[in-house]
Amino acid sequence: MNAKSSAGASPAPVLAGEAPTLPTGATPLIRLQGITKTYGQGQAEFQALRGVDLTVDSGEFVAVMGPSGSGKSTVMNILGCLDVPSSGAYQFFGTHVERLSRPQRALLRRHYLGFVFQGFNLLARTSAQENVELPLLYRGESAAARHAAARAALAQVGLEGRERNTPAELSGGQQQRVAIARAIVTRPSVLLADEPTGNLDSTTSHEIMDLIAQLNRELGITVLMVTHEQEMAAYARRVVLFKDGLVESDFSPPPPGEGPGERERLLRTPLASIPSPPAPLMKPLPFGIPGGEGSFEVVGATSREGAA
Amino acid sequence: MLWNALLLSLREIRRNLLRSFLTTLGIVIGVSAVITMVTLGNGATLAVKQQIASLGSNLLIVRPGQRLGPGRDSAGAANFKVEDAQAIRDQIGGIKAVAPVVNKSVTVVVQASNWSTSVTGSNADYFTTNNWRLAGGRVFYESEERAGKAVCVIGNTVKRELFGAQNPVGGEIRIKQFSCEVIGLLAAKGQSSFGSDQDDTIVMPLRTVQRRLTGNQDVRTLMVSVKDGVSSDKAQRQIERLMRERRHIGDNEDDNFNVMDTKQIADTLSGTTQVLTTLLGAVAAVSLLVGGIGIMNIMLVSVTERTREIGIRLAIGALEREVLSQFLIEAVVLSSLGGLIGVILATLASIGLSGLMHIPYLFNPGINLLSFAFSAAIGVIFGYFPARRAASLDPIEALRHE
């Protein structure tokens, strides 16, 4: 899996190994401040989140853990701009997401976020190639650009030669790879993974986690992953534990579990010794942000022009 | 964006070929039914008009007795005489031909075969008034008419039954006690709009029939053909006045005869078929509407069935209006595709059926266009509601949907 091989054809290429361009003191990628979420009304009122503060920087790999009902799914929905908080502020690169309209949030998802789900959520009876092309179709990319980018993304997740296969003709692990390819084909800033290994056996799970970790390392895609498996959380370099709608603990590196082996030891190498991931390329949103404190800066514009 | 939505919709239709086909079936049947009914109806109207024209154009038919109707009796009214025909010819302007006519049912024998038919006694004008053409031979000379000679011109059916493939001209037929020379053969006209065989006829000089068959001087009907460009209404009024005078009808008495204009009959009959066409078209239009509801059903089911897919699309960053237009375009593409197939099917069915029913096939661009446009409109109308529902789904709920 070589990021460079596909970079030229991708719409917004981010090359592995580029110098980090995130300016010091810049706005964090994600900042949650006092986020609450209440469902229902009156007697049936239920507070899923009760004041969550969380900051995630570009290039991080965060595992979100917690028992069911702890609010981890709710926070993921809010982070994924699928839902809005009842109160509190969610800044995505300085933009107040809670102030965006539904279409604006859709555009934010389209341009900056990639999703991977537990149930893969691929379109049935649709080839891997077409599944991966879908987000590009909504972006209005040309057919040629779509084909090239989708092929490159599929190659990146190790599915060369499987472009024509439909989900029914692929194994679970392969389906999840297609889903990952679909999530990264647009070169998102953030990959949101909701129990990506929940439906997979342990060997395949490790393969998928390797792939996600690699994408985080090599493409600098920030990964936010919900999981309830310690083993999978061990791939992350930061673990946020939720309980009763609040962040209970937020620690890094992950706790030493049962022997993760050579691969995991490498993953747990202190951050400083790993080349810093490049900042994602931020394009200004195609709409004005009402009341946004910051605006999207095109970070590393020179490097993009160089690659284009 | 529209192009994208079209692309997405076509992909979706291709993905579910069987379902798409079944969805479309209602529209296909509806559209083809409407077009076929209207096309056949138009063909039938034209056929009726043509058949009435074959009766004779600008033809006035004068009969004794009042116009048929409740409480009116045609019996007892005096028949016409040959002199009445002569009077019309002499005293009314713009008349092309006048034929006094009597009819009699007879059995005709040629060697071993016999055939029951109707003999018409008239003059040579009869061939003009009733639009008869000759397939062979000649019509009677005036001398033959005056002398009441036993000559006849036979229709195609009589020829077929009695002479088979032989040429009847110059042959002899026996009617009752006398034999009669065949001097001409009429060209076939086919069935009349009333379903009777117009070719099942024998035409003889009036005097021959009066003397040898009816045994009196009466004339049952006067056929009057008006010259082209002359108002048949005016001729009708003049004939009525003349006949009242000749039949000594007082000012406050009703006519004891009636004058019919074939143009009126034609208008009445084609009006009837037109009404039937409209009726059939309306019934077929209901089936088109039902087809539209079928599309709405399937689209609604497919919204439910595809809730998860819609969730995926929304999560990926599809806008509400993109999902809306995708579903809407899907419905429109499906229904117009159905419309197109319907038009093709209707054309084939109309050509085939009009051939079977012996009516002319008339391509009617109006109804084809209308049905197609209607089917597309059905897509918009019945596709909108499901599309609206799909677009307004909550992505989180949609993704959770099993």
Side-chain angles (χ1 to χ4, degrees):
Chain A
M1 269 173 279
N2 187 352
K4 264 178 186 152
S5 65
S6 68
S10 301
V14 179
L15 297 177
E18 273 176 34
T21 45
L22 195 72
T24 48
T27 339
L29 178 62
I30 286 167
R31 175 183 282 159
L32 299 182
Q33 287 170 299
I35 294 287
T36 69
K37 182 72 189 178
T38 311
Y39 292 110
Q41 280 182 334
Q43 293 279 17
E45 197 177 274
F46 168 69
Q47 220 175 4
L49 295 177
R50 305 197 269 173
V52 172
D53 298 313
L54 185 68
T55 305
V56 179
D57 287 318
S58 271
E60 279 200 87
F61 186 165
V62 182
V64 177
M65 298 189 75
S68 47
S70 63
K72 60 182 194 301
S73 290
T74 309
V75 87
M76 281 299 271
N77 285 338
I78 290 172
L79 286 170
C81 302
L82 292 168
D83 207 350
V84 281
S86 300
S87 71
Y90 169 21
Q91 282 170 280
F92 186 86
F93 247 98
T95 298
H96 280 274
V97 175
E98 77 275 7
R99 295 179 196 165
L100 299 182
S101 67
R102 198 175 138 145
Q104 284 174 327
R105 279 185 280 126
L107 287 176
L108 199 129
R109 288 199 294 275
R110 177 187 297 186
H111 288 278
Y112 299 104
L113 305 179
F115 289 88
V116 175
F117 306 95
Q118 178 177 1
F120 319 137
N121 279 344
L122 299 173
L123 298 190
R125 284 161 293 171
T126 305
S127 71
Q129 172 88 16
E130 283 178 337
N131 261 298
V132 175
E133 279 183 27
L134 196 63
L136 299 173
L137 207 61
Y138 283 115
R139 278 190 168 199
E141 304 283 349
S142 73
R146 285 201 311 270
H147 296 331
R151 256 197 306 279
L154 281 168
Q156 210 156 21
V157 299
L159 285 179
E160 290 121 317
R162 295 281 184 179
E163 289 88 352
R164 297 266 133 248
N165 291 54
T166 61
E169 298 162 352
L170 296 169
S171 70
Q174 286 171 328
Q175 287 185 54
Q176 194 60 299
R177 282 171 190 271
V178 174
I180 292 171
R182 182 179 66 189
I184 63 162
V185 74
T186 59
R187 294 303 157 118
S189 307
V190 181
L191 180 70
L192 291 136
D194 190 0
E195 306 227 18
T197 59
N199 284 8
L200 301 172
D201 63 65
S202 111
T203 318
T204 318
S205 292
H206 283 294
E207 283 169 16
I208 291 295
M209 286 316 300
D210 276 339
L211 176 60
I212 291 175
Q214 189 179 9
L215 293 170
N216 167 252
R217 227 173 30 243
E218 292 181 1
L219 301 185
I221 297 173
T222 308
V223 177
L224 294 170
M225 177 182 75
V226 168
T227 184
H228 58 261
E229 291 170 274
Q230 284 285 343
E231 247 187 295
M232 304 306 146
Y235 283 83
R237 278 174 281 163
R238 179 178 166 195
V239 174
V240 178
L241 198 61
F242 274 78
K243 199 180 176 191
D244 297 330
L246 286 169
V247 176
E248 196 189 46
S249 63
D250 184 346
F251 51 92
S252 172
E258 63 279 2
E262 183 62 28
R263 184 188 65 239
E264 306 217 347
R265 205 160 43 244
L266 178 72
L267 285 168
R268 284 195 205 139
T269 325
L271 272 172
S273 65
I274 301 173
S276 302
L281 291 162
M282 304 302 285
K283 283 192 283 185
L285 279 175
F287 47 82
I289 308 296
E293 281 172 5
S295 63
F296 285 88
E297 280 179 61
V298 181
V299 185
T302 45
S303 67
R304 181 166 58 162
E305 277 157 20
Chain B
M1 200 204 95
L2 205 68
W3 172 244
N4 259 357
L6 187 70
L7 214 68
L8 283 166
S9 317
L10 285 176
R11 204 172 265 194
E12 195 51 45
I13 289 168
R14 205 187 51 205
R15 206 143 64 90
N16 291 295
L17 219 53
L18 181 67
R19 191 183 65 191
S20 306
F21 169 72
L22 291 175
T23 309
T24 319
L25 206 58
I27 294 286
V28 170
I29 292 171
V31 166
S32 53
V34 169
I35 297 177
T36 310
M37 287 302 151
V38 172
T39 306
L40 288 181
N42 286 343
T45 309
L46 184 74
V48 167
K49 278 187 178 157
Q50 282 174 348
Q51 278 163 356
I52 295 202
S54 78
L55 265 181
S57 52
N58 288 343
L59 182 67
L60 300 172
I61 301 170
V62 189
R63 290 169 192 272
Q66 288 172 334
R67 206 168 285 252
L68 289 177
R72 291 176 171 189
D73 190 8
S74 69
N79 283 317
F80 300 106
K81 300 286 176 204
V82 189
E83 291 72 28
D84 292 322
Q86 195 57 47
I88 289 172
R89 193 179 293 134
D90 294 344
Q91 296 177 32
I92 295 172
I95 300 294
K96 189 157 72 177
V98 180
V101 174
V102 284
N103 287 296
K104 181 84 182 165
S105 292
V106 291
T107 301
V108 190
V109 182
V110 172
Q111 287 158 2
S113 21
N114 65 75
W115 183 246
S116 288
T117 183
S118 155
V119 168
T120 297
S122 192
N123 56 16
D125 268 6
Y126 178 74
F127 301 100
T128 311
T129 57
N130 283 37
N131 256 11
W132 281 112
R133 274 174 228 283
L134 286 181
R138 58 173 180 88
V139 301
F140 357 102
Y141 300 132
E142 222 188 311
S143 60
E144 289 168 332
E145 282 175 35
R146 232 180 293 125
K149 281 193 72 175
V151 289
C152 63
V153 178
I154 63 171
N156 196 50
T157 305
V158 177
K159 176 234 162 192
R160 194 183 62 227
E161 296 297 332
L162 295 176
F163 292 94
Q166 281 178 298
N167 181 11
V169 178
E172 291 230 319
I173 57 174
R174 278 199 72 79
I175 300 169
K176 287 193 175 171
Q177 303 82 10
F178 70 98
S179 74
C180 179
E181 188 195 350
V182 179
I183 57 167
L185 174 65
L186 296 169
K189 266 190 187 179
Q191 278 196 342
S192 77
S193 42
F194 313 103
S196 61
D197 182 0
Q198 297 180 90
D199 297 324
D200 191 5
T201 186
I202 296 175
V203 187
M204 280 187 208
L206 177 67
R207 186 157 291 177
T208 319
V209 175
Q210 284 175 334
R211 272 195 203 148
R212 305 206 185 211
L213 292 172
T214 63
N216 57 40
Q217 295 291 305
D218 292 346
V219 169
R220 193 65 195 155
T221 312
L222 298 174
M223 303 276 199
V224 182
S225 187
V226 182
K227 277 183 184 155
D228 289 336
V230 174
S231 154
S232 58
D233 285 350
K234 198 176 152 202
Q236 184 175 355
R237 278 195 304 277
Q238 287 176 331
I239 290 170
E240 278 166 357
R241 207 176 309 132
L242 179 69
M243 282 300 129
R244 283 180 75 88
E245 201 179 291
R246 290 184 65 84
R247 291 163 82 88
H248 311 293
I249 298 169
D251 283 349
N252 47 6
E253 279 178 279
D254 283 338
D255 292 350
N256 60 3
F257 64 92
N258 68 74
V259 182
M260 267 197 313
D261 189 343
T262 49
K263 207 188 273 168
Q264 282 172 5
I265 306 174
D267 288 349
T268 311
L269 279 176
S270 58
T272 310
T273 47
Q274 212 92 64
V275 166
L276 279 174
T277 304
T278 314
L279 209 68
L280 284 173
V283 170
V286 170
S287 75
L288 189 54
L289 203 69
V290 172
I293 292 167
I295 286 225
M296 179 163 73
N297 264 329
I298 300 279
M299 293 306 289
L300 273 175
V301 167
S302 113
V303 166
T304 315
E305 190 187 283
R306 286 157 67 189
T307 300
R308 225 178 143 81
E309 176 200 321
I310 294 161
I312 299 168
R313 290 180 188 276
L314 289 170
I316 278 173
L319 293 171
E320 259 178 70
R321 63 159 199 269
E322 284 167 335
V323 174
L324 180 86
S325 57
Q326 184 199 331
F327 272 75
L328 207 54
I329 288 175
E330 222 176 290
V332 173
V333 166
L334 272 182
S335 59
S336 16
L337 214 66
L340 202 69
I341 297 171
V343 166
I344 295 167
L345 220 66
T347 307
L348 296 178
S350 305
I351 292 175
L353 283 173
S354 54
L356 273 176
M357 292 163 66
H358 302 290
I359 57 172
Y361 168 71
L362 280 178
F363 179 74
N364 185 336
I367 194 68
N368 277 280
L369 217 67
L370 191 76
S371 304
F372 181 74
F374 191 67
S375 68
I378 274 179
V380 175
I381 295 161
F382 291 110
Y384 182 78
F385 180 54
R388 183 67 267 152
R389 215 175 105 174
S392 58
L393 284 174
D394 176 10
I396 301 166
E397 288 298 319
L399 278 171
R400 217 174 277 154
H401 186 89
E402 286 307 320

